[in-house]
Amino acid sequence: MKLSLVISTTDAAFNSLAFKGDLVKGIELAKKIGYDGVEIAIRDPKLADVNLIKKVVLDFKIQVVAIGTGQAYLAEGLNLIDEDENIRKKAFERLIDHINFASIFGAKVIIGFIRGKKKNRDEKQVQKLFIEQIAKLADYAQLLSVQLVIEPLNRYEIDFLNTLDETYELVKVLNHDSVGILADTFHMNIEEPRIEESLEKVKDKLYHFHVADSNRWAPGAGHIDFGSIIRTLRKIGYNSFLSVECLPLPGGAEKAARLAYETLKNIILDFEKISKTLEQT
């Protein structure tokens, strides 16, 4: 498993980002700490300096793992299930831009906040609306070899798709190779009775993974058992990135990013040592 760090531009409306500011500095520092990749939260890809980002990731030999889309919802209200058809259309078009941007880097596109809120509407009607939108986006994404990952978010932040099980059932209905699940330890700590068992149930559709501790601080600053979670991920065959998405705590962005890296890297290395020992016996 490799580690990546979520970074964003200065206009980000979401506070749960260890690095929120200059993208170039964020990428540089992520590489300096030891991260293998970065996940970039971008409100509007058309405003991003693609050539600069391409140059920086090439210079630092670091991978762009995923593209976050939530800023489009938090800053502009764009979402896929809004009652206003015009807003849904704008959200769809923005996600097409995100897919185009992601295709340049071989990155995934995250469907988190941008899916929208149900707001007391009928669950089946909202699901139908969402599935129709995602199916079209997935067809387009597949043409560009881009995967869409739907992220369950906790009930205090959104009222649609809060658990891994709910999201898994919807993804099964979609039945599209380009659509999977993004699991996040912070949200799972609130919504899942037992994180490890929930992960095993969705193993065939687990495409991406976010990590933050129980308090949304850096891993290692709360009470989540990351050793048990990483053991489960290894067991179910998840070999992709663990992407750190946490508050710049404790001690600011750089300290938080370093603590997260050291905590997770040490656990990963310990498992690798155990595996090598078992292979030699």
Side-chain angles (χ1 to χ4, degrees):
M1 269 172 266
K2 295 181 179 180
L3 301 177
S4 62
L5 181 67
V6 178
I7 60 178
S8 180
T9 52
T10 52
D11 62 351
F14 189 43
N15 289 323
S16 293
L17 298 166
F19 282 98
K20 187 169 72 172
D22 188 321
L23 278 177
V24 176
K25 289 182 179 178
I27 292 170
E28 182 179 3
L29 192 51
K31 181 64 177 182
K32 179 182 175 182
I33 291 170
Y35 286 94
D36 303 291
V38 291
E39 180 180 310
I40 305 176
I42 295 179
R43 180 179 63 81
D44 186 348
K46 287 183 177 178
L47 302 179
D49 190 335
V50 177
N51 290 328
L52 176 61
I53 296 173
K54 285 171 66 176
K55 182 181 184 303
V56 173
V57 298
L58 186 63
D59 287 347
F60 287 103
K61 296 180 175 62
I62 198 166
Q63 184 176 342
V64 178
V65 178
I67 305 301
T69 62
Q71 305 303 324
Y73 171 76
L74 294 167
E76 301 176 60
L78 301 185
N79 70 92
L80 293 172
I81 59 172
D82 202 276
E83 294 173 276
D84 186 329
E85 184 179 356
N86 188 49
I87 291 177
R88 295 199 304 270
K89 182 181 177 182
K90 288 181 179 178
F92 185 93
E93 291 171 349
R94 181 66 59 82
L95 283 169
I96 291 293
D97 291 338
H98 279 103
I99 292 168
N100 289 335
F101 184 89
S103 70
I104 297 169
F105 301 97
K108 297 177 175 66
V109 172
I110 298 170
I111 309 296
F113 280 112
I114 202 166
R115 66 174 166 272
K117 293 184 179 180
K118 186 173 59 175
K119 296 180 179 178
N120 297 317
R121 286 176 290 165
D122 180 74
E123 181 81 21
K124 289 184 179 179
Q125 289 181 350
V126 171
Q127 281 192 8
K128 182 175 181 293
L129 186 60
F130 181 67
I131 287 171
E132 288 173 353
Q133 300 272 68
I134 289 293
K136 294 175 186 176
L137 288 165
D139 285 342
Y140 181 74
Q142 190 170 50
L143 295 174
L144 299 179
S145 301
V146 171
Q147 292 181 329
L148 308 180
V149 287
I150 303 173
E151 180 181 20
L153 302 172
N154 74 78
R155 74 194 81 169
Y156 305 108
E157 297 183 37
I158 209 161
D159 62 359
F160 178 51
L161 300 179
N162 304 120
T163 69
L164 287 177
D165 187 59
E166 290 171 340
T167 308
Y168 186 63
E169 291 302 315
L170 186 143
V171 168
K172 285 199 298 183
V173 172
L174 272 163
N175 191 30
H176 202 297
D177 290 340
S178 292
V179 181
I181 294 173
L182 189 177
D184 184 307
T185 58
F186 174 75
H187 299 294
M188 286 190 289
N189 185 58
I190 296 172
E191 296 293 343
E192 307 299 330
R194 182 163 174 76
I195 291 174
E196 294 84 353
E197 290 177 5
S198 295
L199 289 172
E200 289 192 27
K201 290 178 182 178
V202 305
K203 61 184 179 181
D204 60 313
K205 278 295 182 177
L206 186 61
Y207 288 4
H208 194 41
F209 206 85
H210 275 174
V211 285
D213 220 316
S214 53
N215 46 14
R216 218 170 204 162
W217 290 21
H223 63 247
I224 290 180
D225 186 348
F226 286 99
S228 178
I229 290 170
I230 291 175
R231 183 184 301 110
T232 299
L233 291 175
R234 287 169 59 89
K235 176 183 175 183
I236 64 177
Y238 180 84
N239 292 311
S240 192
F241 279 83
L242 303 182
S243 198
V244 175
E245 184 189 50
C246 65
L247 290 167
L249 293 168
E254 183 173 350
K255 185 176 179 181
R258 287 187 182 279
L259 173 61
Y261 179 84
E262 291 166 3
T263 299
L264 298 169
K265 194 65 176 179
N266 286 337
I267 294 171
I268 292 169
L269 289 174
D270 283 345
F271 278 120
E272 289 176 354
K273 289 177 184 176
I274 292 171
S275 295
K276 287 181 180 178
T277 301
L278 291 174
E279 288 173 2
Q280 293 171 354
T281 57

